[in-house]
Amino acid sequence: VLDGRVVNIKWHETSVHDAVEEQEIMKSVLANAVDGIGIVPADPEMLRTLIDEAVKAGIPVVTLNTDSPKSRRLCYVGQDPVRAGRIAGELMGKFLNGKGKVIVITAFANVLVHKLRIDGFRQELAAGFPGIQIVGIYENHDSSEEAYLIAKKILRKRKDIQAIYLTTGNGPAGVGRALKE
């Protein structure tokens, strides 16, 4: 109950960042009477037309965690991903005293929020810590097990890696396990 009214929420889940499946769900949601949509757009450009169609039909759309800034969505609720990446870059630079080799593990390099975090990280390293080199960017597809396998393989192969930047919450346990081993 919200403000004296009953609120029904229907939750739709896709396979991990499956924009095509997300489009099909959006089409289905638009075909039914809904009062609002909250969405984490896997591909903001692919979904922009459907988001705009919802808004045109009087259905407010809120993007969550990753934005669709060119759409007519009502608002975005989430962090500033460029700033988050820059903060991570600043901390990394300070922890490494301005020099070293790092790798980045992200869920999906083509997902806007992940790409923007990496962009911010790169910007901060380039501006404030040019002695730090990103030697690889890897995708773990939102899998802690895959993050473990990536980190394990890289750390066995390269003894010169001083740090790992993870852009998402699915992966720290796997990377921690690899570091412990």
Side-chain angles (χ1 to χ4, degrees):
V1 178
L2 179 67
D3 195 27
R5 293 182 285 176
V6 174
V7 176
N8 293 309
I9 297 173
K10 186 161 185 184
W11 190 271
H12 297 274
E13 257 184 82
T14 64
S15 304
V16 179
H17 294 292
D18 186 337
V20 173
E21 187 179 355
E22 206 169 61
Q23 281 183 310
E24 294 306 312
I25 291 171
M26 275 289 286
K27 288 175 186 173
S28 169
V29 167
L30 289 173
N32 296 300
V34 298
D35 296 317
I37 298 171
I39 188 168
V40 180
D43 184 326
E45 280 305 303
M46 278 180 72
L47 288 164
R48 181 168 52 149
T49 302
L50 291 169
I51 291 170
D52 291 349
E53 185 179 317
V55 172
K56 186 176 179 184
I59 303 167
V61 178
V62 174
T63 55
L64 308 163
N65 191 47
T66 191
D67 198 9
S68 181
K70 294 178 183 174
S71 74
R72 295 177 58 208
R73 50 86 174 125
L74 176 65
C75 68
Y76 163 66
V77 178
Q79 71 177 193
D80 176 335
V82 174
R83 176 174 263 183
R86 290 191 73 106
I87 290 169
E90 180 181 4
L91 290 170
M92 184 76 70
K94 289 178 178 179
F95 290 149
L96 296 179
N97 294 315
K99 59 181 184 278
K101 292 185 166 108
V102 303
I103 64 168
V104 175
I105 299 177
T106 191
F108 297 91
N110 66 333
V111 170
L112 181 62
V113 71
H114 304 161
K115 180 188 173 314
L116 292 174
R117 286 180 190 138
I118 294 169
D119 289 349
F121 185 71
R122 281 185 169 141
Q123 290 168 13
E124 188 62 30
L125 292 182
F129 306 96
I132 296 178
Q133 179 184 8
I134 299 172
V135 296
I137 298 175
Y138 304 90
E139 292 180 296
N140 74 339
H141 305 102
D142 256 348
S143 163
S144 190
E145 184 62 23
E146 197 169 337
Y148 162 74
L149 295 171
I150 291 166
K152 183 177 172 180
K153 179 180 177 181
I154 299 300
L155 293 171
R156 281 191 175 157
K157 191 191 259 186
R158 296 196 64 151
K159 303 297 180 196
D160 60 343
I161 301 299
Q162 281 85 33
I164 300 171
Y165 170 47
L166 289 114
T167 68
T168 64
N170 285 334
V175 170
R177 190 169 120 216
L179 289 169
K180 187 175 180 181
E181 288 177 9

